[in-house]
Amino acid sequence: RVVRGSRDGFTETIVFNTALIRRRIRDPKLRVNLLRVGRRSKTDVCVCYIDDIADPDLVKTINEKISSIDIDAIPMAEKSVEELIVPGSWWNPFPRVRYTERPDVAAVHLLEGHILVIVDTSPSVIILPVTYFHHIQHAEEYRQNPSVGVYIRWVRFLAVIASLIVTPLWLLFALSPELLPESLKFIGPKEVGKIPIFLQFVIAEISLDLMRMAAIHTPAPLATALGVIAALLIGDIAVTIGLLAPETILYTAVVAVGSYSTPSYEMAMANRLVRLFILLGTGFFRLPGLIITMLLTMVLLIFTKSFNVPYLWPLIPFNYRALKGIIIRSPVPIQNIRPEILNTRDVIRQPAPAFKKRGK
């Protein structure tokens, strides 16, 4: 959702979805290749791209992968297609495609050189290839002034970082207070409670997921009541009887806010598993465990690819121009080059910045 912007969205009907994209991109080079998947279901699947922008080898690869699917049906629609066509380990938690239900977001990616996979019966459209940084950007940044967009993006980056490391770092300092300088000695629980602090965080993480699942399955009119019960009754009573330390509740809430601030639900869930992995390593091995688990996570990210696109690009391999565009939400008049990593046929989006044209 955005504060300003279009309110239309993809539906479960593939014809409507392709029409919403065509409404935004009326280029005759826009291609919608219709395929059929499933011996029994005969599900319609579209591969959508702009012919003179997208990498033709990638388009051919995706078409071949979808055409070669031999299965009776795909009732789970786009998720089944993703697992059938995306190369790599199925057990890697990091999403190697991006989902969107917004036609404007899909159109922006098409113009950058990405490819869309639209599956009938699903309102979620697959965008590929993608990097880690695609999952932590949001349309709201481009619906505001560039300065406001930069601020929103930086706050979101801080929220994502906090969702990963706040609880493991606080657990490390609580278990090893000698690592803290004198000015930070206030960090750590004054009273641990009846349960070891490490187990408190494990219980809090599991409880957070239980609350999330309960909220999903609770009818909307009762969701607010569920939040009141969770926050006031369970949290307050757990602190009052000494089951959990107040700091455990506080920092678990901080990482929960950071997780919900991540635009991509799939990336938020992957980060949650990574946080739990780092938390377990820190709880068992303290500082060496924190360092080793973070290094292992970084190695996994470095070796992860989305259709031969490095997952951490433009950080690894380093590309200054593209990295600057990720850190700073650049104004539209100077967004004149498409991402190099996509190997687009047409690199130039606009021949010169708009303000230079006006100067002429």
Side-chain angles (χ1 to χ4, degrees), residues 9 22 33 62 73 78 95 98 100 116 136 146 160 172 239 252 254 282 290 327 333 336-337 341:
R22 176 68 71 180
N33 185 20
I62 294 172
E78 82 291 346
R98 181 182 180 183
T100 185
L116 306 182
I136 53 178
V160 173
L172 174 66
V239 172
T252 301
V254 169
T282 304
L290 176 71
I327 297 174
N336 57 340
I337 303 293
I341 199 67

Side-chain angles (χ1 to χ4, degrees), residues 92-149:
N92 187 338
F94 292 103
R96 280 155 293 173
V97 300
R98 181 182 180 183
Y99 293 104
T100 185
E101 296 183 15
R102 294 186 59 88
D104 52 356
V105 173
V108 167
H109 283 82
L110 279 176
L111 293 169
E112 286 184 350
H114 295 267
I115 299 171
L116 306 182
V117 178
I118 309 171
V119 184
D120 196 21
T121 73
S122 172
S124 296
V125 168
I126 299 174
I127 303 172
L128 52 88
V130 294
T131 66
Y132 185 94
F133 301 103
H134 281 100
H135 293 279
I136 53 178
Q137 297 181 19
H138 193 264
E140 181 67 22
E141 300 162 7
Y142 292 92
R143 294 290 184 177
Q144 305 292 340
N145 289 333
S147 56
V148 178

Side-chain angles (χ1 to χ4, degrees), residues 5-161:
S6 61
R7 295 293 186 265
D8 58 349
F10 291 126
T11 68
E12 288 77 8
T13 306
I14 195 170
V15 176
F16 294 163
N17 296 342
T18 54
L20 287 170
I21 295 173
R22 176 68 71 180
R23 185 181 180 188
R24 286 166 171 80
I25 304 177
R26 300 183 181 182
D27 187 352
K29 295 291 186 179
L30 178 63
R31 299 287 184 265
V32 180
N33 185 20
L34 184 61
L35 303 170
R36 188 158 288 175
V37 176
R39 296 189 304 271
R40 297 182 183 274
S41 64
K42 308 292 185 184
T43 306
D44 291 325
V45 178
C46 278
V47 178
C48 188
Y49 60 95
I50 301 179
D51 191 37
D52 58 347
I53 295 179
D55 181 7
D57 293 332
L58 181 58
V59 172
K60 180 181 177 182
T61 299
I62 294 172
N63 278 311
E64 289 177 350
K65 284 181 174 292
I66 295 177
S67 300
S68 63
I69 293 176
D70 186 12
I71 194 171
D72 58 349
I74 49 171
M76 291 294 105
E78 82 291 346
K79 186 58 184 175
S80 299
V81 172
E82 178 205 341
E83 294 185 9
L84 288 165
I85 69 172
V86 175
S89 174
W90 295 319
W91 302 107
N92 187 338
F94 292 103
R96 280 155 293 173
V97 300
R98 181 182 180 183
Y99 293 104
T100 185
E101 296 183 15
R102 294 186 59 88
D104 52 356
V105 173
V108 167
H109 283 82
L110 279 176
L111 293 169
E112 286 184 350
H114 295 267
I115 299 171
L116 306 182
V117 178
I118 309 171
V119 184
D120 196 21
T121 73
S122 172
S124 296
V125 168
I126 299 174
I127 303 172
L128 52 88
V130 294
T131 66
Y132 185 94
F133 301 103
H134 281 100
H135 293 279
I136 53 178
Q137 297 181 19
H138 193 264
E140 181 67 22
E141 300 162 7
Y142 292 92
R143 294 290 184 177
Q144 305 292 340
N145 289 333
S147 56
V148 178
V150 170
Y151 170 74
I152 293 174
R153 182 171 292 187
W154 287 1
V155 170
R156 182 173 290 112
F157 285 172
L158 289 176
V160 173
I161 295 172

Side-chain angles (χ1 to χ4, degrees), residues 342-358:
L342 296 177
N343 192 28
T344 55
R345 300 174 67 181
D346 183 8
V347 178
I348 306 298
R349 297 192 64 179
Q350 50 186 344
F355 66 88
K356 289 186 179 179
K357 288 185 177 181
R358 289 195 295 268

Side-chain angles (χ1 to χ4, degrees), residues 180-348:
L180 288 170
E182 287 297 327
S183 59
L184 298 177
K185 288 295 184 181
F186 64 90
I187 294 179
K190 302 298 182 292
E191 296 181 3
V192 175
K194 300 180 180 179
I195 298 178
I197 195 70
F198 169 53
L199 290 180
Q200 289 186 28
F201 272 112
V202 174
I203 293 172
E205 288 285 346
I206 296 175
S207 300
L208 189 64
D209 282 327
L210 289 174
M211 300 291 181
R212 178 184 59 82
M213 289 186 285
I216 292 173
H217 301 304
T218 302
L222 302 177
T224 302
L226 173 67
V228 172
I229 293 173
L232 297 182
L233 295 182
I234 299 178
D236 184 62
I237 293 176
V239 172
T240 302
I241 66 176
L243 184 65
L244 299 177
E247 290 91 341
T248 302
I249 301 292
L250 170 65
Y251 291 110
T252 301
V254 169
V255 300
V257 171
S259 296
Y260 297 140
S261 299
T262 306
S264 169
Y265 180 74
E266 293 77 21
M267 181 57 72
M269 294 302 297
N271 287 344
R272 183 167 298 168
L273 290 178
V274 170
R275 182 177 70 245
L276 185 59
F277 175 59
I278 298 175
L279 193 67
L280 291 173
T282 304
F284 285 116
F285 304 105
R286 305 201 177 183
L287 182 59
L290 176 71
I291 295 174
I292 291 173
T293 51
M294 292 184 70
L295 286 176
L296 289 175
T297 302
M298 181 59 66
V299 169
L300 176 61
L301 287 170
I302 291 173
F303 284 97
T304 298
K305 289 187 176 182
S306 173
F307 291 91
N308 293 323
V309 172
Y311 205 55
L312 290 182
W313 186 87
L315 183 62
I316 301 173
F318 184 75
N319 184 304
Y320 172 74
R321 188 198 65 81
L323 185 62
K324 182 177 67 172
I326 287 175
I327 297 174
I328 299 175
R329 185 284 213 204
S330 55
V332 173
I334 63 174
Q335 297 175 13
N336 57 340
I337 303 293
R338 292 188 173 87
E340 296 92 332
I341 199 67
L342 296 177
N343 192 28
T344 55
R345 300 174 67 181
D346 183 8
V347 178
I348 306 298

